Amino acid sequence: MTAPHPAPDRRSLRRAYTASLSGTALEYYDFAAYSVAAATIFGDLFFPSGDKLVGTMAAFSTYAIGYLARPLGGFVFGRLGDVIGRKKVLVYTLLLAGPVPVMRDDSAFVLVFPFVAANPWGMSLFITAPCFMWLAGLRYRDGTSRLILLTILLTALPILFYYGIGYRQFGYRYSLDFLPLLFYLLLRNYRMERGGLTTGFKALVVASAVLNLHLFAGHFIWHVS
């Protein structure tokens, strides 16, 4: 016979219910507010073509992409949350600012080569060098690690609010001030806890290098702005 499962803690159930309800309500509000704005102002604001119907359809197409991306995001970040923790993955996703799509023109929602270009506002460090997401799964119990983290935080805070653009400056151009410390912390603690580099770590480094070469070529060779 199998042992009976222990009764769930009511406090944990209330916390899970509150977190689920607040997250779902915020997500619904986000999509509801965007749908209203897409039907009223986004067509003229972001897709200023001669035909208002085309502009409105283009605005709603970005709304549809959000729903199409949800299963993919759930598959990737849900699995990542099971491995390193949901709170850490939430912070990771909040710091994402990726490349921008390359469209044929302002009215047609059609991607053209090279399909994505470097974001002129700067891209997230976790996009250009996603190997740094392993920092979320490491432990920082010694004084050296905590001192490095404090130095990185004190360096990053004024950069995050530079010119009032906030987290969008947390990218490859504006992380150079603390990137050496971040890189040293990753190598130091990863080696202390896990030894050599895993196959997944190496594959992620290669994939990010290919993406960065593509963005570099788009800016300096194909002159995509």
Side-chain angles (χ1 to χ4, degrees), residues 6 37 52 55 97 102 111-112 119 143 154 159 188-189 197 210 223:
K52 293 181 64 68
V102 180
L111 290 174
V112 294
N119 195 328
L154 294 177
I159 298 174
R188 176 183 180 273
N189 289 42
L197 301 180
V210 172
H223 302 290

Side-chain angles (χ1 to χ4, degrees), residues 205-218:
V205 171
V206 173
S208 62
V210 172
L211 173 63
N212 283 293
L213 286 175
H214 181 78
L215 297 175
F216 180 86

Side-chain angles (χ1 to χ4, degrees), residues 36-57:
V36 174
T40 55
I41 61 174
F42 279 175
D44 296 330
L45 184 62
F46 295 105
F47 305 97
S49 61
D51 194 338
K52 293 181 64 68
L53 177 61
V54 173
T56 303
M57 291 180 62

Side-chain angles (χ1 to χ4, degrees), residues 178-209:
F178 58 87
L179 187 60
L181 291 174
L182 206 62
F183 189 67
Y184 172 74
L185 184 66
L186 173 64
L187 294 183
R188 176 183 180 273
N189 289 42
Y190 191 96
R191 185 176 181 180
M192 289 172 54
E193 294 185 21
R194 307 186 183 184
L197 301 180
T198 62
T199 303
F201 191 99
K202 296 177 182 177
L204 195 61
V205 171
V206 173
S208 62

